[in-house]
Amino acid sequence: MLKRIMDVFITVVAAPAWLPLMILSACALAFELRGNPIFVQERVGLHGKPFRMIKLRTMRHSKPGEEDHYDVEDFSTFVFAPPDKPNPRITRFGAIARKTSLDELPNLFNVLWGQMSLVGPRPEVPEIVGQFPPEYHRRHDVLPGIAGLAQMKGRSDLTYDEIATYDLEYVDHHSVLTDIKILIGTAFGVVRGSGAR
């Protein structure tokens, strides 16, 4: 309950800052993309229940043959693989939005709706979750978050297995004090631009 109160309080109090910034970012992306800058995607949340997560679109719409897919032939190899190179469909401002996490500002609506928390494991798409080993599913014992222990430790520089390890560490040891430390640490990481793609 205290975590939920903190989520709502911080999100509402900070609204005069993040709402205009989100609108300006959406306008810039809409101009660059020549289309809708809002990206809605199904993710897996608390207790494995799906929800629709909102983000800003940072990649141009795919052309025939470029459709995104999440089929992984060997998941055990995938989780230990080095991070992927940036997707060539990412736009110029989209790259800036990703580096500064502006693309995640609409996630704050998911926080207000109780689907996400400010801090927690990043929610994953069902196609990847369906291939999780049993121990990874403990990530869903808490609300997914915008910031997380993995984001504070290295963001996109981590392998998937390292991310999952940090997520499970958070599940086992999370607290309001831990959340505050992660929010501060993640903010410093965003300012430095470390591990962002």
Side-chain angles (χ1 to χ4, degrees):
M1 181 61 70
L2 185 58
K3 179 180 174 69
R4 176 63 182 156
I5 291 173
M6 185 181 76
D7 283 345
V8 174
F9 178 78
I10 293 176
T11 302
V12 171
V13 169
W18 65 262
L19 265 176
L21 196 56
M22 184 191 71
I23 293 170
L24 287 173
S25 300
C27 290
L29 284 166
F31 178 79
E32 189 175 42
L33 292 165
R34 293 182 173 83
N36 182 10
I38 304 299
F39 179 64
V40 180
Q41 187 179 50
E42 184 175 283
R43 298 290 179 104
V44 178
L46 183 65
H47 305 315
K49 295 180 180 179
F51 72 99
R52 293 171 66 80
M53 189 181 78
I54 311 172
K55 293 186 68 176
L56 292 180
R57 184 180 292 277
T58 56
M59 295 191 292
R60 60 176 173 78
H61 295 276
S62 57
K63 298 176 182 177
E66 283 188 332
E67 286 78 8
D68 290 327
H69 63 86
Y70 298 92
D71 296 327
V72 179
E73 293 182 3
D74 186 352
F75 190 77
S76 62
T77 300
F78 165 72
V79 296
F80 295 107
D84 291 334
K85 294 180 180 179
N87 193 307
R89 292 197 291 117
I90 297 175
T91 66
R92 183 176 300 178
F93 186 75
I96 296 173
R98 285 183 174 226
K99 191 175 184 66
T100 57
S101 295
L102 291 173
D103 62 317
E104 296 174 3
L105 286 176
N107 287 176
L108 291 167
F109 287 110
N110 293 114
V111 172
L112 291 175
W113 297 332
Q115 299 166 320
M116 293 179 66
S117 174
L118 292 176
V119 180
R122 286 296 295 174
E124 192 53 273
V125 294
E127 291 85 351
I128 291 293
V129 172
Q131 301 177 71
F132 274 0
E135 63 270 22
Y136 280 18
H137 287 279
R138 288 201 300 112
R139 297 168 81 249
H140 304 132
D141 289 349
V142 298
L143 276 173
I146 298 176
L149 190 57
Q151 284 68 43
M152 185 179 73
K153 295 291 186 178
R155 302 174 79 186
S156 299
D157 286 337
L158 304 175
T159 65
Y160 203 95
D161 184 65
E162 290 171 329
I163 291 172
T165 299
Y166 282 126
D167 287 343
L168 295 179
E169 181 181 337
Y170 174 81
V171 170
D172 292 336
H173 303 289
H174 70 281
S175 67
V176 171
L177 182 59
T178 301
D179 283 6
I180 293 172
K181 290 179 179 178
I182 290 174
L183 285 172
I184 294 172
T186 302
F188 277 114
V190 169
V191 170
R192 292 194 303 268
S194 56
R197 284 189 184 83

